[in-house]
Amino acid sequence: MINFSLNQLKCEACSANTPKLNEIEISDYLKKIKKWNLNDNKEMIFKKFNFKTFKKALNFTNLVGKVADNEGHHPDISLGWGYCLVMIHTHAINGLSKNDFILASKIDLIDID
């Protein structure tokens, strides 16, 4: 079991040699973040954030961008009226690494209200 707060860590540079997390590691990391989902291929985590207005969704999306850029780890984001869908995986390995869960934990700290 992972016994530390992910949001206290910093994403580290990845390469094609970065190992993908195995199913047990993914399961452990998922327990450390708030209601993120795992895609069927177990290569990506995602979460849909809902808002009452487009403006709030856009503001949240911009804050996600700032956090991601600060971490040097960039999610795929879909924005629409009242929602922001954030999809995270490590592009260099086409799968999941610890960085994905670090970024998700930091996104969970964003307070838009």
Side-chain angles (χ1 to χ4, degrees):
M1 179 58 95
I2 301 161
N3 294 317
F4 50 81
S5 179
L6 287 170
N7 62 32
Q8 299 300 312
L9 301 176
K10 177 85 174 144
C11 291
E12 299 174 3
C14 290
S15 71
N17 296 324
T18 299
K20 291 182 184 182
L21 295 176
N22 64 42
E23 287 188 39
I24 294 170
E25 292 168 319
I26 291 169
S27 178
D28 284 347
Y29 279 118
L30 279 169
K31 293 173 188 170
K32 302 285 283 180
I33 56 179
K34 299 175 188 170
K35 299 181 182 180
W36 286 76
N37 299 289
L38 181 64
N39 75 339
D40 291 340
N41 295 334
K42 299 179 181 164
E43 297 172 339
M44 176 185 296
I45 56 174
F46 63 94
K47 185 173 180 178
K48 185 176 183 181
F49 296 84
N50 294 302
F51 302 93
K52 292 182 181 178
T53 67
F54 179 80
K55 185 175 181 180
K56 284 189 177 190
L58 179 59
N59 288 343
F60 178 80
T61 302
N62 287 327
L63 291 171
V64 168
K66 287 180 184 180
V67 169
D69 205 44
N70 187 49
E71 291 299 315
H73 192 46
H74 304 97
D76 297 313
I77 300 172
S78 178
L79 169 68
W81 191 95
Y83 78 90
C84 174
L85 175 63
V86 181
M87 300 158 282
I88 306 173
H89 71 284
T90 300
H91 297 272
I93 60 173
N94 214 12
L96 291 167
S97 73
K98 179 171 70 173
N99 287 346
D100 303 308
F101 295 90
I102 292 170
L103 181 58
S105 72
K106 292 183 179 196
I107 291 170
D108 280 339
L109 295 176
I110 297 172
D111 184 13
I112 189 86
D113 290 324

